[in-house]
Amino acid sequence: MGLSLGADLEARFLAAAQRGRTAWLTGDIAEAEHHFLESWEMIPMPKSSYDYNQSASRGIAVFYRDTAQFEKAEEWLKVVRAIYGQGEASEEYMDELAATIQFESGNLDAAYTLFEPQYRKYGRRVFEGHKKEFIAFIKSRKKTR
C-alpha cells in the first residue's frame, strides 16, 4: 500500500476518474481522456509511492487499448511497467496487458509470444475476465505450431 493522497486530494482524484469513466461510457473519448489524465496528474511525485498509482496507470493503458489508440496504449504500458516494478508476478501481469494490446491492435504474432507462456503455465486461468477470443486465439495458434 502506498502513501495516502489525503482525503481532499483523494476525493478530487476519484471524482476526476469517475468523470472519465462516465464520458467513456457515453462515447466522449476526448473528454474521457482529459479526465483520466487529469486524475493521473493529481497523484504527487514520485507517483510510484502513492495510492492509486497502479490502478490509475493500468486503467489509462486499458482505456487506450479499448479505444483503439494503440500507440498511446503502448506508451502507457511503459508507465505501468515502471509503476509495477520488477518481479515475476509483476512481469507476468504486465505481459498479459501487453498481450491484450498486441492482440487488439492486430499484432497477433507478438500477442501469441506473450500469451503462450502464460497459457502453458496457468492454463485457462490466465484468461479469466478477458474476452473469449483470447483463449480461442491461443488454442488455434497452438494447433498450427
Side-chain angles (χ1 to χ4, degrees), residues 4-78:
S4 171
L5 295 178
D8 180 56
L9 181 55
E10 181 177 20
R12 289 187 292 123
F13 168 84
L14 293 173
Q18 182 59 48
R19 287 190 301 274
R21 282 189 293 280
T22 300
W24 186 5
L25 290 172
T26 62
D28 191 341
I29 303 307
E31 188 71 11
E33 179 180 33
H34 167 77
H35 290 300
F36 289 144
L37 295 177
E38 172 188 34
S39 67
W40 175 253
E41 288 305 317
M42 289 180 187
I43 300 173
M45 295 300 283
K47 293 184 186 307
S48 61
S49 297
Y50 284 87
D51 284 348
Y52 299 105
N53 62 49
Q54 290 181 341
S55 60
S57 60
R58 187 178 193 288
I60 293 169
V62 167
F63 164 75
Y64 284 130
R65 177 198 69 200
D66 290 355
T67 57
Q69 298 181 70
F70 301 118
E71 288 181 16
K72 289 180 181 180
E74 288 287 343
E75 289 303 312
W76 274 90
L77 177 62
K78 294 174 190 172

